[in-house]
Amino acid sequence: GVVMLVGAIVMIMVGTAKLGGPAEGWRRATIGQRTHLVDFNIDPTVRLSFWSIYIGGSSFLLMIFGTKQSYIQRALACNSVRQAQFATYIGAILSALLELLAVIVGMTIFAYYYICDPLTSGKIQRTDQIVPYFMMDVFGSLPGVNGLLISGAFCASLSSMSSVVNSFASMFGQDVIKTICPDITDSRYTIVVKIISASLGLLTIVLAFLASVLGDVLQTALSISGLTGGPTLGVFLMGLFFPRANSKGAISGFIGGTLVGLFFYVGSKLYPPIVHSPPLSDEGCWVPMDNQTTTTYPEGAMVTNMYSYPYTTTGPPEPVYNTIFALSYMYYSVVTALSCVAIGLVVSYLTSMTSQQLAHPTLLAPIIARRYIKLESPRENSNDTSNDRVYVPLEKK
């Protein structure tokens, strides 16, 4: 994380200096329509708006910090609950700072190429290549600097991936391997977990090669995280806030929420929505002419011919399925979590209508435990040697 922060700050400082200062960078961003930082449009098909980031982003972060095993494992490694809370707050603040720096880096790169966009001019093939291209272009005259920044970014990514792979291997070992082989020795268990971790690492490398055909990497990552993490968040919400929730409902809700997410994700791939992007230009690039001469525009030239998707379209209206599948990928975690809760609660109530619901207050959110759960007195049957206590819903007054 520190390496990424330092790298972002260095790119901003050097890029801004080459532009001639922050004022010039802001002027170019204004010309390119990049200064509209907050969009309050409530349309759920808008990819990035205030509401999609606030609602969808909050749900995504809640899923990350509250249910993801790699983060929970770090929290459990703390000495106390207060220390874990402090670490979570620091992580959230640093994540927000990194996101802000990423936005500033993006605006800096756009201002640097504002009349000679590398994607439009064909110098790069994907938007994900813009940051490495910028590093090579700006720091190419400084031996070792561009390689240091790029390797630092990959180092930070690999450190995060290694924690995810190791935590998944540990979870799989505890929940699956030890369940199947409860008498397995510690040495053999360690070997098995290492093999699982190495296999997951190889699988990650294979998936990295598939990233080139999955479209935008960030959008794909957030979409897939919403597909898998949203139902997981839904299961946690069911357990925290609904005493009647049971295992059958949790499993049914998780499967149902995942299927709903797959419906939107696969549909968006089969029927790609029309994305209205801000304009890009290559008017300032050197362009070969028919007579083998070249031309360029001055650095301060006004951009008059910029290429983008149209903001308004004419012709017949879009089909209904295009509108449905145009849902912003930021909402995937919200939709899948709510679908999981809805399906899970229905199944839980249907499967527990004739049986008393048992719930332990320590597994519920405090506000739910205090209001709806009471601890019954020890069992009246003296012949019952069980020391278990029964927790049942309070009757409404």
Side-chain angles (χ1 to χ4, degrees), residues 161-211:
M161 283 303 303
S162 64
S163 64
V164 172
V165 170
N166 290 331
S167 62
F168 183 86
S170 176
M171 179 181 64
F172 188 86
Q174 289 290 334
D175 295 342
V176 178
I177 301 301
K178 286 195 172 181
T179 300
I180 299 175
C181 304
D183 299 328
I184 187 172
T185 61
D186 292 340
S187 58
R188 182 168 296 181
Y189 172 77
T190 302
I191 295 174
V192 171
V193 171
K194 288 182 178 180
I195 294 175
I196 295 173
S197 180
S199 302
L200 291 174
L202 293 176
L203 178 61
T204 303
I205 295 175
V206 173
L207 293 177
F209 286 99
L210 297 178

Side-chain angles (χ1 to χ4, degrees), residues 84-304:
Q85 292 172 339
F86 179 76
T88 302
Y89 293 146
I90 295 298
I93 294 173
L94 292 178
S95 297
L97 177 60
L98 185 60
E99 294 288 342
L100 178 61
L101 289 176
V103 173
I104 300 175
V105 168
M107 294 187 68
T108 303
I109 294 176
F110 171 80
Y112 189 81
Y113 297 114
Y114 88 117
I115 55 174
C116 186
D117 176 65
L119 182 64
T120 307
S121 60
K123 296 177 181 178
I124 60 176
Q125 286 71 47
R126 298 163 55 89
T127 55
D128 303 314
Q129 299 172 340
I130 187 65
V131 173
Y133 180 83
F134 175 76
M135 290 181 178
M136 297 294 293
D137 190 12
V138 172
F139 302 103
S141 59
L142 302 175
V145 175
N146 51 1
L148 182 63
L149 292 175
I150 294 177
S151 62
F154 280 110
C155 179
S157 301
L158 289 175
S159 65
S160 300
M161 283 303 303
S162 64
S163 64
V164 172
V165 170
N166 290 331
S167 62
F168 183 86
S170 176
M171 179 181 64
F172 188 86
Q174 289 290 334
D175 295 342
V176 178
I177 301 301
K178 286 195 172 181
T179 300
I180 299 175
C181 304
D183 299 328
I184 187 172
T185 61
D186 292 340
S187 58
R188 182 168 296 181
Y189 172 77
T190 302
I191 295 174
V192 171
V193 171
K194 288 182 178 180
I195 294 175
I196 295 173
S197 180
S199 302
L200 291 174
L202 293 176
L203 178 61
T204 303
I205 295 175
V206 173
L207 293 177
F209 286 99
L210 297 178
S212 59
V213 298
L214 294 177
D216 184 86
V217 173
L218 177 61
Q219 178 176 334
T220 302
L222 292 176
S223 299
I224 295 177
S225 297
L227 296 182
T228 57
T232 303
L233 176 62
V235 171
F236 274 78
L237 293 177
M238 286 175 56
L240 286 171
F241 295 101
F242 299 97
R244 292 286 297 272
N246 56 28
S247 59
K248 297 183 180 65
I251 295 174
S252 302
F254 184 87
I255 295 174
T258 303
L259 292 177
V260 170
L262 285 174
F263 170 77
F264 282 100
Y265 180 72
V266 174
S268 67
K269 294 299 181 182
L270 296 177
Y271 306 99
I274 298 176
V275 180
H276 304 297
S277 305
L280 299 171
S281 172
D282 61 354
E283 288 193 356
C285 300
W286 291 87
V287 182
M289 306 300 288
D290 293 339
N291 57 1
Q292 302 301 320
T293 61
T294 56
T295 182
T296 186
Y297 285 77
E299 179 67 19
M302 293 293 292
V303 179
T304 57

